[in-house]
């Protein structure tokens, strides 16, 4: 995993760096993660602007989406980024997003390489593999925010709606997606029966914002320590805007 993510052992050069590395190592040891390499940027983060508080990271996501939606994007220096990121990564946010090709988080938040750690699965729900990816982002890469990002007209949620309301059974492994999202559909069904798809999309985001911390001790501990916030959002295909759900999981 670390080879693929360009992890290295830390090079500690200052007291501040030492404390940061020690804290990371302590968390990883406490959480039983000592088999994973700690952050590569203990000496110097590859993208210093990405070292943010949770609130500042949320603000950056919001501002990036405003730029994207208005058609005014920053210029990203890919050559410089490539050199800086060759030795490690320090993304400022992790995203649990849908696999839908129309929802591309780097575009949506006007971000560059090394900015966003993205786990994508159709229907943006947290199964064990998604949780493991996000735990890595929190425990090793120290991301200050996780965004659960749904979108309107989501085919995976629509499949779950059809499974719940019409008893549709999908071939292959597609049914497992519908099964995972079905609880959100049933919850939405009791509250918004006339706009079920939209309500289920929102409910699915809310459910997964809540479930990340309940399912993962690593994520919960980071959240309780004030190092991490978990928020939701729904991407609007027509406008490119994200409707953020800023009520963080508790
Ligand atoms: Zn989708």
């Amino acid at each position: 995993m670390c080879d693929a993510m360009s992890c290295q052992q830390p090079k500690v050069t200052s007291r501040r760096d030492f404390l940061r590395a020690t804290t990371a190592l302590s968390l990883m040891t406490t959480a039983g993660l000592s088999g994973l390499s700690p952050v590569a940027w203990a000496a110097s983060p590859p993208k210093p602007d990405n070292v943010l508080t949770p609130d500042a990271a949320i603000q950056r996501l919001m501002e990036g989406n405003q730029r994207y939606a208005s058609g005014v994007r920053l210029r990203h220096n890919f050559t410089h980024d490539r050199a800086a990121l060759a030795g490690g990564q320090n993304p400022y946010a992790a995203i649990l997003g849908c696999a839908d090709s129309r929802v591309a988080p780097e575009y949506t938040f006007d971000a560059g390489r090394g900015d966003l750690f993205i786990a994508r699965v159709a229907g943006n729900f947290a199964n064990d593999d998604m949780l493991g990816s996000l735990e890595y982002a929190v425990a090793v890469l120290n991301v200050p925010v996780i965004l659960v990002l749904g979108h309107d007209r989501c085919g995976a949620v629509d499949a779950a709606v059809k499974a719940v309301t019409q008893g549709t059974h999908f071939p292959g492994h597609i049914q497992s997606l519908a099964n995972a999202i079905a609880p959100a559909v049933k919850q939405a069904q009791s509250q918004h029966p006339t706009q079920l798809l939209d309500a289920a999309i929102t409910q699915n985001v809310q459910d997964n914002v809540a479930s990340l911390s309940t399912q993962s001790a690593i994520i919960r501990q980071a959240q309780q320590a004030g190092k991490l916030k978990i928020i939701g959002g729904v991407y609007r295909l027509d406008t490119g805007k994200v409707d953020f759900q800023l009520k963080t999981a508790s």
Side-chain angles (χ1 to χ4, degrees), residues 97-103 121-124 149-158 181 201:
C98 183
D100 193 302
S101 65
R102 299 168 295 178
V103 185
V121 62
N124 47 272
L149 182 62
H151 66 98
D152 46 17
R153 292 169 231 156
C154 179
V157 178
D158 188 52
I181 304 167
I201 287 166

